[in-house]
Amino acid sequence: MTVTSPNVVPSTAGLPAGLAMGAVRLRVRDAARSIAFYTGTVGLALLGTDAEGTVRLGVGSEALIELEEKPDARPRPRGTTGLFHVAILVPDRPALAIVLRRLVAQQVRLGASDHIVSEALYLDDPDGNGIEIYRDRPASEWRWQGGTVEMATDHLDGRGLLTEAPAGVPLDAPLPAGTRVGHVHLQVGDLAGARRFYVEHFGYDITTDRYPGALFVSAGRYHHHLGLNIWQSRGGNAAPQDSVGLVRYEVLLPQASDVDVLRERLAAAGESVTATASGFEAADPWGTKVLVRAAG
């Protein structure tokens, strides 16, 4: 299915084109089990554990995934809002091919899609948190109509992708330098409320609103930094605090002054913002938390 939206109007508030996604923090039941998955299956490196017990995993010195262990956490109830998936962006097609080869060898249950702008693999972590691992096609190949990018959910040529895996690279090769969190896809309770918070108040631009039950938004003409859908959460509320799932995700802005501008804009719109040591924290109408800070 190909999706375009010729009538999208960019937000007048605006966000810096250099916006990027930072670490995504997840609540899990068994930290050791999750560490084994994120290192041995996904390909992240264990970076360490902070004084509060939060486990950091990433590439180089940059954390992509953070884990909070709660052994008695219950499964996230169906129909609640929160994480749909966290999407890890690898730098090129051979890197994605290496990941696919590892997942096939480990007989991981996975999905795969060609989205025109990207090629993506989908799997779940041991607690059911959704994971996407993808590579972008060159931005020069993305097809735009005004402020709208063409995306689709088409069949991925997995056999063709596997032929791109470099010879001699071991199955346990870690994700390469340049890997980062490319986007986060959230489940929300309704699209009107999502549009109000993320577009009118936060300042994202809509890149397409023609997927039934979903909205995709970004800064700087990226295809999307956030996906927002009601496919399984229409009318839903936040998951209980004692369930597994998303704790918060980070948005990184180029300068501290950009953080100040966004904080003031959200406060002026009536949103609650809480100062932190590195920036501020806010929450969407369903309690999904975002930590905004300056990059670096």
Side-chain angles (χ1 to χ4, degrees):
M1 176 179 67
T2 299
V3 183
T4 60
S5 177
N7 298 316
V8 167
V9 178
S11 163
T12 57
L15 285 166
L19 177 148
M21 308 307 287
V24 174
R25 182 171 297 187
L26 304 172
R27 186 180 300 108
V28 300
R29 284 187 290 265
D30 185 332
R33 179 181 66 173
S34 294
I35 290 169
F37 169 80
Y38 281 103
T39 56
T41 298
V42 174
L44 299 176
L46 177 61
L47 303 182
T49 304
D50 67 18
E52 297 178 349
T54 303
V55 177
R56 301 171 65 253
L57 301 117
V59 174
S61 61
E62 295 298 318
L64 278 63
I65 300 293
E66 299 175 339
L67 304 175
E68 285 187 5
E69 184 181 48
K70 186 176 178 60
D72 59 350
R74 54 175 165 160
R76 179 180 152 203
R78 290 183 61 84
T80 55
T81 60
L83 184 69
F84 190 63
H85 62 242
V86 51
I88 297 172
L89 174 61
V90 296
D92 52 37
R93 200 167 196 244
L96 187 64
I98 292 169
V99 173
L100 178 57
R101 188 179 63 176
R102 178 167 62 244
L103 298 179
V104 170
Q106 295 184 9
Q107 298 183 323
V108 173
R109 182 178 178 180
L110 73 153
S113 293
D114 186 326
H115 294 302
I116 300 179
V117 295
S118 63
E119 293 178 304
L121 308 173
Y122 297 94
L123 63 158
D124 288 341
D125 79 0
D127 289 283
N129 295 305
I131 307 295
E132 175 183 345
I133 305 173
Y134 73 112
R135 71 100 182 181
D136 277 336
R137 287 192 169 89
S140 60
E141 297 179 10
W142 302 350
R143 298 194 288 269
W144 291 86
Q145 294 182 7
T148 299
V149 69
E150 183 180 4
M151 294 193 291
T153 301
D154 294 333
H155 171 75
L156 176 68
D157 179 11
R159 292 183 183 276
L161 177 58
L162 283 171
T163 66
E164 299 262 352
V169 177
L171 283 175
D172 61 354
L175 294 176
T179 298
R180 55 189 174 86
V181 176
H183 66 269
V184 176
H185 197 144
L186 301 174
Q187 292 176 301
V188 298
D190 71 85
L191 293 183
R195 184 187 293 254
R196 183 167 53 253
F197 179 80
Y198 288 105
V199 178
E200 297 174 13
H201 294 177
F202 209 95
Y204 285 106
D205 294 327
I206 298 172
T207 54
T208 185
D209 61 357
R210 293 299 185 256
Y211 269 92
L215 187 67
F216 294 86
V217 302
S218 82
R221 285 178 72 85
Y222 189 55
H223 53 74
H224 68 292
H225 287 110
L226 287 178
L228 308 160
N229 80 65
I230 55 170
W231 297 328
Q232 301 165 12
S233 57
R234 184 191 298 269
N237 296 312
Q241 289 293 312
D242 62 349
S243 61
V244 298
L246 181 64
V247 177
R248 73 179 189 201
Y249 66 97
E250 290 182 342
V251 166
L252 310 181
L253 301 183
Q255 305 291 335
S257 58
D258 299 320
V259 176
D260 294 338
V261 168
L262 179 53
R263 181 177 60 246
E264 292 170 3
R265 183 164 71 234
L266 288 170
E271 302 292 349
S272 177
V273 295
T274 303
T276 69
S278 58
F280 71 90
E281 193 172 76
D284 75 7
W286 304 276
T288 298
K289 294 181 179 179
V290 55
L291 173 64
V292 180
R293 63 177 179 87

